[in-house]
C-alpha cells in the first residue's frame, strides 16, 4: 500500500472511532456510557492516533514536505493542529478522572477538531504533497512508516482496541 493510501486508510479508522465517540457523547439518556468507554477510547487516541498516525506524519511526511516552501508552510499548520489535538487529549484524560468535569464537551471538541484536520489533509494537502514528492520519495516514506508503526503498535493491537471500543456502542 502506498504511503498516502496508508494515511488515508488510517483516517477512515480514526473517523470511524470519532463517530462512535460522538454517538456516546451525544447520548443524553445514558451519559455514563461515554465515561465507561473512556479507557479504551483514550488508549486508541494515544496509541493509534498519536503514537502511530501523527508520528508517521510528523517524523516522516512533514520533514519530506520541506522541499517545497508552500508545502513546508502547510506542514507547519498541520503540526500545530496535532499539538492542539494533544492538548485536547490531555483535557479529556483529566476530565475522564474527574466525575464533575465536562467530559462530553471535551470529547465533542476533540472529534470536531480531528474531523476538520483530516478533511484538510485528505482534500487539500495530500494530493499536492504526493505530486511534489514523486514515486521515489513516496516509497521512502512507506519504509519509514513501517518502522514507526512497528514501534507504536504491537501486532493485533488495533483490532483489539477497535473490538474493545465497539463493545460500548
Ligand atoms: Fe495530521
Ligand atoms: Fe492525518
Amino acid at each position: 500500500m502506498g504511503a498516502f493510501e496508508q494515511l488515508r486508510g488510517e483516517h477512515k479508522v480514526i473517523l470511524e472511532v470519532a463517530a462512535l465517540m460522538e454517538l456516546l457523547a451525544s447520548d443524553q439518556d445514558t451519559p455514563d456510557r461515554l465515561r465507561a468507554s473512556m479507557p479504551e477510547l483514550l488508549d486508541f487516541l494515544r496509541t493509534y492516533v498519536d503514537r502511530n498516525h501523527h508520528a508517521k506524519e510528523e517524523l516522516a511526511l512533514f520533514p519530506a514536505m520541506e522541499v517545497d516552501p508552500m508545502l513546508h508552510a502547510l506542514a507547519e499548520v498541520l503540526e500545530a493542529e496535532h499539538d492542539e489535538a494533544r492538548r485536547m487529549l490531555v483535557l479529556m484524560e483529566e476530565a475522564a478522572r474527574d466525575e464533575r468535569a465536562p467530559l462530553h464537551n471535551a470529547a465533542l471538541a476533540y472529534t470536531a477538531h480531528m474531523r476538520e484536520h483530516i478533511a484538510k489533509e485528505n482534500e487539500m494537502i495530500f494530493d499536492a504533497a504526493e505530486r511534489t514528492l514523486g514515486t521515489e520519495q513516496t516509497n521512502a516514506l512507506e519504509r519509514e512508516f513501517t518502522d514507526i508503526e512497528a514501534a507504536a503498535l504491537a501486532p493485533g493491537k488495533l483490532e483489539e482496541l477497535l473490538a474493545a471500543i465497539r463493545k460500548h456502542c
Side-chain angles (χ1 to χ4, degrees):
M1 200 195 298
F4 287 94
E5 207 185 327
Q6 195 182 133
L7 293 178
R8 287 179 193 277
E10 291 182 358
H11 285 168
K12 275 194 195 154
V13 178
I14 295 167
L15 289 175
E16 189 200 325
V17 172
L20 293 176
M21 192 154 97
E22 275 173 340
L23 199 73
L24 291 165
S26 311
D27 184 355
Q28 308 286 348
D29 299 334
T30 42
D32 290 348
R33 281 172 74 207
L34 177 67
R35 201 165 275 287
S37 60
M38 271 337 266
E40 288 83 8
L41 286 169
L42 291 171
D43 194 8
F44 174 85
L45 299 178
R46 272 278 165 227
T47 310
Y48 187 75
V49 179
D50 202 49
R51 296 203 185 100
N52 168 64
H53 183 77
H54 286 171
K56 284 175 185 165
E57 293 175 344
E58 287 176 16
L59 302 176
L61 174 62
F62 297 167
M65 285 166 71
E66 286 174 17
V67 293
D68 177 271
M70 181 65 163
L71 286 179
H72 185 199
L74 291 171
E76 283 183 334
V77 171
L78 295 176
E79 191 148 4
E81 290 180 0
H82 287 186
D83 288 340
E84 180 62 16
R86 267 180 217 115
R87 278 192 289 276
M88 293 172 119
L89 184 50
V90 170
L91 287 181
M92 256 193 299
E93 284 168 340
E94 286 169 0
R97 284 194 295 268
D98 179 356
E99 294 268 322
R100 295 154 306 168
L103 179 61
H104 290 66
N105 295 346
L108 291 174
Y110 181 92
T111 52
H113 177 73
M114 281 309 291
R115 210 183 281 287
E116 221 174 285
H117 175 77
I118 286 174
K120 200 181 283 178
E121 290 180 337
N122 278 352
E123 289 157 28
M124 290 167 50
I125 298 176
F126 282 3
D127 284 344
E130 195 165 12
R131 272 196 305 274
T132 304
L133 295 182
T135 311
E136 206 173 303
Q137 244 187 317
T138 304
N139 290 344
L141 278 184
E142 214 180 320
R143 290 191 291 276
E144 287 182 81
F145 286 180
T146 304
D147 293 341
I148 292 167
E149 183 164 324
L153 287 177
K157 176 72 178 173
L158 173 62
E159 292 69 24
E160 191 187 298
L161 285 169
L162 291 177
I165 290 167
R166 287 188 188 122
K167 255 196 244 164
H168 291 283
C169 299

